[in-house]
Amino acid sequence: MLSVPAIVTACREANESRVAEAAFVNLNADEAAEYSAIAARIIPSDETPGATEAGVIYFIDNVLGDPNRESALEALRDGLRELQYQVATEHGLSFFAELDEAQQDALLRQNETTAFFNTMRYLTIAGTFSLPEYGGNRENIGYNIIGYENHPSWSPPFGYYDADYMERGE
């Protein structure tokens, strides 16, 4: 369903959409706002940028666009409807994004063992920490969060640590 090759392909397509500032292909505006709000609570923007700044919503839109993943899209839509039902019954609002952060966190904690939340967490993490050219991790935001220095190739001095080894004839 959501395999690593599928994620890599989706990442590349997500980057193309994000760079072109294209409209969402698979999500409607309400879904995009809701999934974005959920992702923002999974990796929040605080002293560092979070999922929102990393462009995770474009990643999610593209991952869910493949015909082989229609069941994943439907499962997420079903999970979102259930979450919105909780929002309506517990808070009298229509959308998760309308809740304040504390209410959002509490609601997500109630749902953290559901398949919906686990899928959203997986997509959020994958979108935040993927290679930037794949659509998520805009401007290396994910890398900066974890302190990773992205060096496509390391620069010289290669072998400086081998000189001593060579001099000793080992």
Side-chain angles (χ1 to χ4, degrees):
M1 186 185 261
L2 291 175
S3 65
V4 172
I7 295 291
V8 169
T9 300
C11 287
R12 185 183 61 251
E13 293 168 357
N15 188 52
E16 292 166 4
S17 296
R18 181 183 55 79
V19 168
E21 295 184 7
F24 296 110
V25 176
N26 304 294
L27 304 175
N28 64 44
D30 288 338
E31 290 170 334
E34 292 289 85
Y35 295 138
S36 190
I38 294 166
R41 297 313 308 146
I42 294 171
I43 301 179
S45 304
D46 44 28
E47 63 273 354
T48 62
T52 302
E53 294 82 8
V56 166
I57 194 61
Y58 286 100
F59 175 82
I60 292 172
D61 181 52
N62 281 293
V63 165
L64 299 174
D66 187 294
N68 296 327
R69 292 184 291 277
E70 280 183 27
S71 62
L73 177 57
E74 286 309 310
L76 275 181
R77 285 180 170 153
D78 291 343
L80 181 59
R81 280 190 288 276
E82 290 175 24
L83 187 70
Q84 288 171 329
Y85 177 77
Q86 284 181 282
V87 169
T89 57
E90 294 177 23
H91 301 283
L93 298 170
S94 299
F95 298 103
F96 178 83
E98 295 174 320
L99 300 174
D100 65 38
E101 290 178 355
Q103 293 169 321
Q104 289 176 344
D105 290 346
L107 196 55
L108 290 178
R109 266 190 235 98
Q110 291 174 18
N111 289 280
E112 68 186 349
T113 60
T114 64
F116 170 71
F117 180 79
N118 287 326
T119 301
M120 281 301 302
R121 179 176 39 211
Y122 177 77
L123 291 172
T124 300
I125 292 169
T128 301
F129 299 105
S130 65
L131 292 170
E133 60 266 24
Y134 293 153
N137 196 9
R138 182 184 310 153
E139 298 173 9
N140 293 322
I141 285 172
Y143 293 166
N144 293 335
I145 292 170
I146 61 173
Y148 173 71
E149 294 181 31
N150 183 25
H151 296 282
S153 62
W154 294 91
S155 57
F158 291 117
Y160 76 92
Y161 42 83
D162 294 330
D164 182 54
Y165 179 80
M166 295 302 290
E167 285 177 16
R168 290 183 287 173
E170 295 178 9

